[in-house]
Amino acid sequence: MKISGVAIGQWNQICKKKEGIRRTQYKIYRAIVMGNVAHTYASKDYIIRYHDMNILVSHTGLVLTIWRDSNTDTITIVDKVKAKYDAKTTHKQNIKKANAKHSYILKV
């Protein structure tokens, strides 16, 4: 699973933070792991809903774009849960979890 440069810039713009690329990638992968699948297209591309953001992932595993959607119900993840996840998960493990979820979504 890869993240496009556009998606990284969009994440930083939405979150109003300028963090390093590695930290931003970690947060995007965490959002994919913790978020819910909101919609799957016939082409097997899908949208992950995380808080008030949508993440469009292609069937090849490329994170294409991220946008804020305040009209749809939010998927709230408590800060305590995120902190617990961060304490137990390294960057490599986070990527593996995101890849596993991507593979599972494509199978279903």
Side-chain angles (χ1 to χ4, degrees):
M1 182 168 260
K2 300 280 185 188
I3 302 171
S4 72
V6 171
I8 290 172
Q10 289 168 334
W11 180 276
N12 286 333
Q13 191 174 29
I14 289 168
C15 296
K16 294 182 172 81
K17 290 183 180 179
K18 180 63 178 150
E19 298 178 314
I21 291 176
R22 188 173 173 91
R23 182 69 183 152
T24 303
Q25 286 177 334
Y26 179 88
K27 288 183 174 183
I28 293 171
Y29 285 131
R30 181 182 68 191
I32 291 169
V33 172
M34 298 181 98
N36 294 338
V37 177
H39 184 73
T40 304
Y41 296 98
S43 63
K44 294 287 188 178
D45 297 349
Y46 57 93
I47 295 174
I48 297 281
R49 182 84 172 142
Y50 180 76
H51 288 283
D52 63 345
M53 291 183 277
N54 291 327
I55 304 167
L56 177 63
V57 182
S58 74
H59 67 282
T60 61
L62 178 65
V63 177
L64 299 170
T65 187
I66 300 169
W67 71 96
R68 179 162 284 181
D69 179 10
S70 56
N71 296 330
T72 311
D73 292 337
T74 60
I75 304 297
T76 306
I77 285 98
V78 183
D79 288 337
K80 190 185 244 185
V81 174
K82 288 192 281 188
K84 191 174 182 180
Y85 180 89
D86 290 344
K88 293 183 177 182
T89 308
T90 64
H91 188 69
K92 278 186 176 181
Q93 291 170 333
N94 198 23
I95 294 170
K96 287 179 183 178
K97 288 179 181 184
N99 284 328
K101 185 167 183 176
H102 173 71
S103 297
Y104 174 76
I105 291 167
L106 290 181
K107 287 179 186 176
V108 174

